[in-house]
Structure formats: C-alpha cells, structure tokens
Amino acid sequence: MPQPRILLVVTGDDFGYCPKRNQGIVDCFKAGGISSVSLLVNASAAKDAADLAKRHNIPIGLHANLSEGIPVCQSLRQDSTLVNERGFFHGKMGFRQALGRHQISMEQLELRDQIRLFRELTGHLPHHMDGHQHVHILQEVREVFAQVLSDHKIPYTRVPVEPGLHSCQCLPAHLKRFYAQVEKDALDSIPVFRRCGLRWPDVYLGLTTVGQNMSVSNLQRTLSHALSISSCAASNPEERVVTAELMVHPGYPSHPQKGGCGEGPDDFSQSADRQHELSVLTDLSLLAMYRKERVQLCAFKDL
C-alpha cells in the first residue's frame, strides 16, 4: 500500500467473554477484519483468550470491567461498594446510578488488580486500556483510571467522541440519549487524561455501528469523517497521517449456559448481532475499500 491516509485500529472488545466469542474474534483477526483486542480478565474464557492471543500474535489490551459479573479481587466480592447483595457488579446503569449517589468507593476500584491479572495471563502489560461499557470515563472513575495508567506507563486509552453521532438516523431514542451522555463524559475526561499524559487516536468510531447497525455502507459513512480530516491534513506542506479507532464486537452467538463474567452471557451476546458484525468486518468489499482509500489497519503500538 502507498503512504496511508489513515492508521486504523479496529478493536474487538470483550475478548474472553466465552469460547464462541473468542473463536469469532480470532477468525475475524485472521481474515483481516480486526487488528487489536480488549480482554475482559474477569470473563469465563479469559485464560483461553490470552493463550489464543499469544498463539496468533494478536495485539491485546485490557477492557477494564467494573460493571458486569464479579470482581477479580476476592475481598471485594462481599461487603463491597462495587457489588450488590448477590456479590455481582451493579450493571451498566446500576453502576452509574450508584456512582451518582456517591455510593462507590474510589479506593475499591480494582483497576490495579485487573492489570496484575492481565499481566499474569499474557506475560506483559496491556498495550492499551479502555473501559467495558465506557466506565473509564465516568466522573471520579476517570481520575483514578488515568492515574493508574500513568503509574503503569500504559500510553493509550479510548475517548468515545464519535463524529456524526448526533446526525445518525439509525439509532433508537434510548441509545441516542445514552450515547450523548457517553460523549459528555468523554469530553469531560480529556483534560484529566491529558494531565496524566495519556494518548488516544485522532478519531473514534463505533457507537453508531454496533450489532445490526453495522454494514459496509455505515462503516464507509463513519470512516468518511476520518477521511475528511485526512484530506484537510493533506493540504499541509507535510502530510499528516490521521489515526483512528473503530470499536467492534465480532463473535459467534454465546451458548445460553456458557460464558459471561459470572452471571452468564447477556442477550446481546446470545443474539446473531455478533456474527453479523463478524460477517461485515470480513466482507471483501470493505477490505477493498480500505485499500482504495489507503486505510491501513494497525495496533495501538504502531500509532
């Protein structure tokens, strides 16, 4: 490929969630559909995922999880602000509600424990670290998260501010409201992340292309924002390559009784949406579009 216009990290989230997720992610990587993965260390198939990443040389980061399943730290599974009466994390919205009521102790966030377990599973520190269900950008959490990454010299994270989000017509109202809040939290996180020396790609993509919303045409639409930035940069005397991350969730449908992070797989994981993403990401017309538009897939360490 000639000089790329865009260096694109396509990150497969939720690696380790179940054996079928793991196999789908590996198949997607081998077919050229993704270039990086984020590992859930508290998931049921995390060790298998780490072994697969080693075997296939898949760049791997940490998907910090404070909202689904059980903590990795044994002492936090009972009588902890992170868990409910059954010993499970509060859930995507439950965690946010508890945080809003100041019921979550920042001293109990087990980010360092999850990094330790990641290192035990993979043999190295994460190449990047983000948050499952975007917990890493939430108020108060973002401060702890940024400091932990700085202390461990983990350079890259995710800032989910997606161009074109508000003009997207394919999202239902409840998702638009949730993503608008995600965007606000992400924008509020930028000064904190900068202060701690963290980095992230120029463009973030993926909120508007989850599950059945993913198609080759929708991916082309979202990539057009990054391509437009690249075109503007090309008018400069020294052409700047634009960096971008595309968040995706490929896989095969989870077995109802196998997978998850302690409570079994959720409905989204058991649906056909994951396999749909896998099919789109490996579509030959999408891969051809990457070549035509000089989009080079890469890992965070290549940025």
Side-chain angles (χ1 to χ4, degrees):
M1 179 185 291
Q3 172 71 20
R5 295 169 62 192
I6 299 176
L7 290 177
L8 177 65
V9 181
V10 184
T11 306
D13 279 3
D14 305 338
F15 201 34
Y17 198 81
C18 73
K20 285 183 170 290
R21 177 70 45 73
N22 290 353
Q23 188 57 56
I25 284 177
V26 169
D27 289 349
C28 196
F29 176 79
K30 290 169 69 176
I34 61 172
S35 57
S36 176
V37 294
S38 279
L39 177 68
L40 287 164
V41 292
N42 74 328
S44 63
K47 185 181 185 307
D48 176 57
D51 291 343
L52 286 167
K54 290 178 190 175
R55 187 182 313 159
H56 298 284
N57 198 28
I58 305 174
I60 186 168
L62 175 57
H63 206 40
N65 186 4
L66 302 172
S67 58
E68 182 179 358
I70 58 176
V72 301
C73 189
Q74 190 80 31
S75 64
L76 295 175
R77 295 178 184 177
Q78 294 179 344
D79 195 27
S80 155
T81 65
L82 290 179
V83 299
N84 59 26
E85 64 280 357
R86 298 184 298 124
F88 294 114
F89 285 135
H90 297 291
K92 180 170 74 173
M93 301 312 298
F95 181 82
R96 285 165 166 79
Q97 291 161 3
L99 194 64
R101 294 192 294 264
H102 306 289
Q103 293 174 342
I104 302 293
S105 168
M106 294 299 104
E107 287 72 30
Q108 292 181 342
L109 299 185
E110 58 167 20
L111 298 173
R112 296 179 191 274
D113 298 283
Q114 293 193 16
I115 291 173
R116 173 189 51 77
L117 181 53
F118 180 97
R119 195 167 192 172
E120 289 176 7
L121 290 169
T122 66
H124 59 80
L125 285 170
H127 297 147
H128 69 278
M129 185 167 163
D130 53 44
H132 184 48
Q133 299 170 339
H134 309 292
V135 295
H136 67 299
I137 56 171
L138 296 177
Q139 189 174 7
E140 296 185 85
V141 176
R142 64 176 74 111
E143 303 276 354
V144 179
F145 178 85
Q147 189 59 56
V148 168
L149 266 66
S150 178
D151 291 347
H152 286 82
K153 295 181 171 55
I154 299 170
Y156 278 100
T157 190
R158 173 182 289 168
V159 176
V161 177
E162 180 169 346
L165 173 66
H166 298 283
S167 61
C168 179
Q169 301 298 314
C170 61
L171 295 175
H174 73 281
L175 270 185
K176 273 197 171 182
R177 288 193 297 271
F178 178 68
Y179 289 159
Q181 185 60 53
V182 167
E183 180 182 73
K184 181 183 182 304
D185 291 330
L187 290 170
D188 289 342
S189 298
I190 288 176
V192 178
F193 290 173
R194 280 183 176 154
R195 187 168 66 245
C196 288
L198 305 186
R199 300 168 63 191
W200 53 93
D202 300 319
V203 182
Y204 169 84
L205 308 165
L207 293 178
T208 63
T209 53
V210 174
Q212 293 299 319
N213 284 335
M214 183 178 287
S215 64
V216 173
S217 60
N218 278 348
L219 287 175
Q220 289 175 325
R221 172 185 53 79
T222 58
L223 275 169
S224 67
H225 297 287
L227 289 166
S228 65
I229 294 173
S230 174
S231 297
C232 292
S235 63
N236 295 332
E238 294 185 5
E239 183 172 347
R240 181 175 70 90
V241 178
V242 172
T243 60
E245 182 191 15
L246 171 62
M247 174 194 73
V248 298
H249 304 84
Y252 300 113
S254 301
H255 188 280
Q257 304 301 323
K258 195 167 187 180
C261 301
E263 298 176 273
D266 60 19
D267 291 341
F268 180 35
S269 295
Q270 296 178 61
S271 74
D273 287 3
R274 304 287 184 160
Q275 190 162 350
H276 172 75
E277 289 199 19
L278 171 58
S279 298
V280 174
L281 290 166
T282 55
D283 190 296
L284 294 179
S285 64
L286 177 66
L287 302 183
M289 187 272 288
Y290 289 155
R291 291 190 293 272
K292 178 184 176 184
E293 300 292 349
R294 292 159 48 201
V295 177
Q296 180 176 312
L297 270 58
C298 66
F300 279 97
K301 59 185 175 62
D302 302 318
L303 297 182

